[in-house]
Amino acid sequence: MKHYIESLLHSDDYQFLGLFVSDKTKEQGVFILRYLFYDIKNKKLNITEIDTRKEFPHIDIPALDWYEREIHDMFGLVPKGHPNLRPLMLFPENYPKDFHPLRKDANLNIEYRGYEEYRYENFEPEGSFKILVGPIHAGIIEPGHFRFTLNGEPILKLEIRHFYKHKGIEKLAEGKPVEFGLKLSERISGDHSLAHSLAFVKAVETIYGIDIPPKAVYVRAILLELERLTCNINDFAFIFQDVGYSFGAQKVFAIKEMLMRLNEALTGNRFNRGIIKVGGILKEIDLNIVKDGIKLLKKEYLKYKKLFLNSSTILERTDTTGKVSYETAKKYAALGYVAKASGLYFDTRKIMENKLYGPLIKEFSLKSGDVTARLKVRFNDIEESFDIIEEFISNIPEGNIYKNYEKKDGYSFGFEEGQRGNIIHMLEIENGLISRWKIRDPSFHNWPIIQEAVLGDIIADFPLINKSLNLSYSGNDL
Amino acid sequence: MFNVIKTFLKEGIKTEDISSYNEDNIAIYKKLPKTLKGSLNIRHIDCGSCNACEYELTALSNIFYDIERFGIRFVASPKHADALTITGPITRNMYKPLLDAMKNVPNPKVIIAIGDCAMDGGIFKGAYGIVGGLKDINIEPYILIKGCPPTPKDIINGILKGFEG
Ligand code: SF4
């Protein structure tokens, strides 16, 4: 089994999507591990299951490192032979060693006190020094810890320590109704409120066996593109800011604000929260509001794209900075723009839902893997979003916006392409309540890549590289 | 909305009049004590939010809201700060960093809780990974701005209103 999984991980025909575990000790006496791949050639999912009571095989590839450590934290299962089994989410300072919250029999009443010290990696080459950043950062950013080892200006090593924001969302949802899960799913990563809630709702709809009406499919897709657009425009503005070009940044931030206001005019919420429901959408929305406004915003965006690409001083900062090679992207199973900028293409919409999008999504990818490339991928995404919105608004089918349904028990996956890449929710419903929910934000695959992207670059470029990856802390930390 | 966007793009974006958010805002601002007007340095601490609150806090610096016009600035060091904005439920892993940062803010300091989570954990109440909201760790925020997330307008209104009292 181990060799089979290894071969899929190294194959170019398979995209690794995640490793999901459920505690089935009560029913079947075992824990079930599900390795999830997408078979790109045959266009279907590949799920490989392993049952275990205590141990499971360690696979030596960076893409699995965090997963295996996570499973060790959460379930107390041991990846046999893992060389670096430090706690990941449950900081040894704050949680006892034998605390494994996702086990069904876990006792969640644990005292808050100092337990053990955390061990950082031992890396002290001669003449090197360290710069420690975070968990609290200088700007309005989420918390996380970065440890740089430098020798002069260039970065020799970066070790990241995340999960400061670990709240225990997955456990919180256990035993709660689906409606609560939906509300919580909008709060996994706030900037991706809609994408996460769609992934969640899709998992529910597969379990219930609902085919939502075509009109709801279209409205959801339009709202999703609006969210993608807002996030991509926001990233664009931040990159302007981090290369020190405030004029461009402010102009592009203004476009973002207008998009947020457009959302508010549409659904009454700047993040489009509360509009999605199981079976469709909550209320009719007037899409005419979007139609003309979006054309003007596109024109405005194109002006600043041109400005960016024509400025040699800006490109001087972004070209060749923060390089991620194809091999690196592959071994970490990178997702979203990080992957696309390094020649690895996976887009949930294109690959899993091509019927809906068709030629509106081009298989756009680049090779250079630097900050410029990641921005250019975003430019492509932005323009695609504009096209999809226009096209879908003019072709929107008539009909109902939701479908009534009967509740059922079962297990399924929900997939969505968020702005950062593929999002997966694995959901199990038992007696009408959530019994297991695993959330996988693309940031969980992409964060460790930053440790390689900065190597050899100078520390002053770190903010720029970080922004070009722009990963979610809360979606990652859960 | 179309007309709004068109006007913005044609005439340039003007920073909005705060009285359009709440009629009394200008009167409130005029009455603020001199010590607050024109200079309030804020250190922001995210203790475990979902990041939507941060999204709205960053929006405060765009040209629509331009919070710096009131002299309100987000600063990099707690040692430079007069006030703290706090978002999110306080996770176990962020509890100590929060206390460390608070220790470094000179007294008297003003604590501003942003969003429903910050007060009592909000939707995350009961999760094993959080120690709770500010009230669970016995910190009394001076200003409390509700919402999930509060809009930038709510935040500006809330800060002005809070200092009025
Ligand atoms: S109050 Fe709402 S928006 Fe703010 S951090 Fe909490 S869940 Fe997110």
Side-chain angles (χ1 to χ4, degrees), chain A residues 186-187 190 271 273, chain B residues 48-54 87-89 114-118 121-124 147-150:
Chain A
E186 294 179 327
R187 287 156 181 84
F271 294 82
R273 283 181 173 174
Chain B
S49 80
C50 76
N51 86 23
C53 278
E54 274 63 41
T87 57
I114 308 254
D116 295 346
C117 293
I123 189 167
F124 304 108
C148 184

Side-chain angles (χ1 to χ4, degrees), chain B residues 71-89:
Chain B
I72 300 180
R73 287 186 24 199
F74 286 94
V75 291
S77 166
K79 293 191 172 148
H80 302 158
D82 312 308
L84 281 170
T85 50
I86 290 177
T87 57

Side-chain angles (χ1 to χ4, degrees), chain A residues 120-138:
Chain A
Y120 287 96
E121 278 171 45
N122 197 357
F123 184 74
E124 315 264 343
E126 212 186 298
S128 70
F129 59 96
K130 294 223 169 351
I131 296 182
L132 312 182
V133 184
I136 300 174
H137 298 292

Side-chain angles (χ1 to χ4, degrees), chain A residues 236 239-240 304-311 314-315 375:
Chain A
F236 180 26
I239 288 178
F240 255 136
Y304 297 102
K305 174 190 168 191
K306 204 164 134 205
L307 188 75
F308 192 101
L309 294 176
N310 285 343
S311 160
I314 293 179
L315 293 175
L375 188 61

